[in-house]
Amino acid sequence: MSTPPPSEGLSLAAVAPIVETRILVDTVEIFRPGEPVLDPDSGEYHPGPDQILYTGPGAIFASGGPGLVLSLEGQAYADDTRNRYRLLTPLDVPLASREDRVRVTVATQDPGLINRVWRVMDISDANSLAVVRTTWLDEVTQTTGA
């Protein structure tokens, strides 16, 4: 009677396709707002076209991520915004930089995500044992558009 080979366990490479098809179910865009463009007729500046860095699978989750600490006349003030979110994307997506923006263009479960905009709070996380890339966000959408 032969003994079965020892179990090697579940590898991160085996988990990645499951995560990408079961969790990263929305379509997101990571973009940089365009440089202002002068309208010569009105003399006003208008936002230029966005520079799209990534369009593809992703997921947005509300989260209690990192807060900000500001100093006001020697007093510490914690900015505990409730608008903190996490963006999950595949590992091969370019790292988002601080002040980049994120929007959901296709939402498979919650249509309330469509066209909302988040600001990237810090450069995307990078980890040795990662299955997805995590990017911390702060929502900048002011209205639902309804």
Side-chain angles (χ1 to χ4, degrees):
M1 195 161 125
S2 67
T3 58
S7 172
E8 294 182 19
L10 191 59
S11 71
L12 290 178
V15 173
I18 297 166
V19 169
E20 289 183 17
T21 59
R22 302 289 182 183
I23 294 176
L24 306 181
V25 295
D26 297 329
T27 301
V28 300
E29 281 184 348
I30 300 173
F31 65 98
R32 291 195 176 121
E35 292 292 323
V37 176
L38 178 63
D39 178 348
D41 296 331
S42 69
E44 296 179 0
Y45 281 95
H46 299 284
D50 295 334
Q51 177 187 0
I52 307 296
L53 306 173
Y54 169 74
T55 299
I60 300 277
F61 294 94
S63 184
L68 304 172
V69 176
L70 306 173
S71 178
L72 300 173
E73 297 184 56
Q75 301 295 320
Y77 169 77
D79 179 10
D80 287 332
T81 175
R82 286 187 263 176
N83 295 330
R84 281 184 243 135
Y85 288 79
R86 284 181 296 158
L87 167 66
L88 303 181
T89 54
L91 287 174
D92 60 354
V93 169
L95 291 170
S97 296
R98 186 174 286 143
E99 300 300 327
D100 285 348
R101 301 286 196 260
V102 174
R103 76 177 137 238
V104 175
T105 58
V106 176
T108 59
Q109 299 295 319
D110 184 357
L113 290 170
I114 301 274
N115 292 323
R116 289 169 75 173
V117 178
W118 293 265
R119 175 182 59 90
V120 174
M121 292 175 64
D122 208 350
I123 190 168
S124 300
D125 290 349
N127 298 291
S128 295
L129 298 174
V131 176
V132 293
R133 180 159 329 284
T134 301
T135 304
W136 292 98
L137 307 172
D138 182 35
E139 188 168 10
V140 295
T141 307
Q142 296 297 311
T143 64
T144 63

